[in-house]
Amino acid sequence: MSESEFLAERFEAYRGHLKAVAYRMLGSGAEADDAVQEAWFRLSRSDTRQVENLGGWLTTVVGRVCLDMLRSRKARAEQPLEPDVPLPGVVPDPEQDALLADSVGVALLVVLETLTPAERLAFVLHDLFAVPFEDVADIVGRTPAATRQLASRARRRVQGAPAPDADLIRQREVVDAFLAAARGGDFDALVDVLDPDVVARAEAGVTAGALAVAKGATSYASLALVARPALVDGATGLAVLVDGRVERALAFTFVRDRIAVIDVVTAPARVADLDIELL
């Protein structure tokens, strides 16, 4: 295998992750593909022999590309007399754009539509993909402290967004399937109910991708045995009971009958602040 073929093979291993990052940043499947392709061009022209974490390096590159695209989009929007003409060959995909909005609920839709490019990048990279603030700061050209403030402002606006309407009956069926699979340690069944780009967010960090999230869920089979379906602040989820009290809570966001986001709350003070209704 030649060096270029080896590099291409390594890049392909990260393509799905890079597409997920770019898709959530840009809100367009076509533009996300463009950003990922630009990352490949930059990789092929770079000497990465000293790069220890290729996935992190590529995520940083895609983040920079998306930031440039968002700033360019914002600049065009400030000139209303010049219409934004689609690029040749780029066909809007309403289905994919709807999938983006659903995959993380109304919250991300608010981020995509109202935040500044820097706020959007800080929120998506850190909160959804666990990129350290130091790395995000390098992309946006600010200090880590200032980058934390960007993400914090974005987070506050997201948390204030209205919750989407939900098909609670169907969601309950998906949660029941998730819970049964977790209790039985059934890895394949867990993957079946998870969106391929599912994100699990907890105080300890963020896990992305169906395989990684399913692997994590199987390791908590004992907790699944004492979990019950619940509404967590109005969202379909699970409550883990220990000695009759809620020890942790999981809230789910769904896309097309699959779990796309899992928010795990374990800190006692945060659990106490939740409105939890056992089902």
Side-chain angles (χ1 to χ4, degrees):
M1 179 183 295
S2 68
E3 183 176 347
S4 60
E5 289 174 335
F6 176 69
L7 190 62
E9 185 176 283
R10 294 186 67 194
F11 179 81
E12 288 302 318
Y14 292 107
R15 181 180 290 276
H17 166 74
L18 299 176
K19 175 68 177 290
V21 172
Y23 198 26
R24 284 160 174 77
M25 281 293 302
L26 300 169
S28 162
E31 289 187 335
D33 285 334
D34 289 343
V36 173
Q37 190 63 23
E38 177 62 25
W40 163 248
F41 289 147
R42 296 189 185 188
L43 174 64
S44 63
R45 296 193 298 263
S46 302
D47 182 359
T48 58
R49 286 175 293 183
Q50 303 302 317
V51 175
E52 296 182 0
N53 181 0
L54 183 61
W57 187 90
L58 287 169
T59 300
T60 298
V61 170
V62 166
R64 288 195 174 108
V65 172
C66 289
L67 185 59
D68 289 343
M69 294 173 72
L70 288 169
R71 285 171 172 167
S72 176
R73 183 192 297 172
K74 183 176 177 63
R76 292 197 306 270
E78 292 172 351
Q79 302 174 19
L81 295 180
E82 298 181 11
D84 184 13
V85 180
L87 294 174
V90 175
V91 180
D93 189 340
E95 181 178 353
Q96 288 297 316
D97 290 345
L99 180 63
L100 169 68
D102 289 343
S103 66
V104 288
V106 169
L108 186 58
L109 184 60
V110 172
V111 173
L112 291 173
E113 292 182 347
T114 67
L115 298 185
T116 68
E119 288 172 339
R120 187 182 310 180
L121 184 137
F123 174 78
V124 171
L125 288 187
H126 180 266
D127 282 40
L128 297 186
F129 292 97
V131 176
F133 278 122
E134 290 75 12
D135 295 342
V136 180
D138 185 52
I139 299 173
V140 298
R142 305 195 186 191
T143 65
T147 305
R148 287 178 183 274
Q149 292 179 348
L150 288 173
S152 179
R153 285 201 299 268
R155 198 177 302 118
R156 286 196 299 269
R157 294 171 72 176
V158 167
Q159 290 171 347
D165 293 333
D167 181 353
L168 295 179
I169 295 177
R170 178 54 188 153
Q171 291 180 6
R172 170 67 184 276
E173 294 174 351
V174 176
V175 169
D176 286 345
F178 174 88
L179 186 56
R183 286 172 173 172
D186 191 334
F187 181 84
D188 290 337
L190 281 166
V191 171
D192 284 344
V193 298
L194 297 174
D195 182 82
D197 294 322
V198 62
V199 174
R201 303 183 293 215
E203 283 94 338
V206 178
T207 303
L211 298 181
V213 172
K215 182 178 179 181
T218 57
S219 66
Y220 287 98
S222 59
L223 288 178
L225 292 174
V226 292
R228 288 183 55 185
L231 290 179
V232 180
D233 280 348
T236 303
L238 293 171
V240 177
L241 303 179
V242 176
D243 296 328
R245 62 177 179 82
V246 178
E247 191 260 352
R248 68 178 62 195
L250 289 75
F252 300 99
T253 301
F254 300 83
V255 52
R256 300 192 177 180
D257 297 336
R258 287 190 174 187
I259 297 169
V261 180
I262 306 174
D263 285 302
V264 183
V265 181
T266 57
R270 291 189 59 201
V271 172
D273 288 338
L274 295 174
D275 180 12
I276 298 175
E277 178 186 351
L278 299 179
L279 301 177

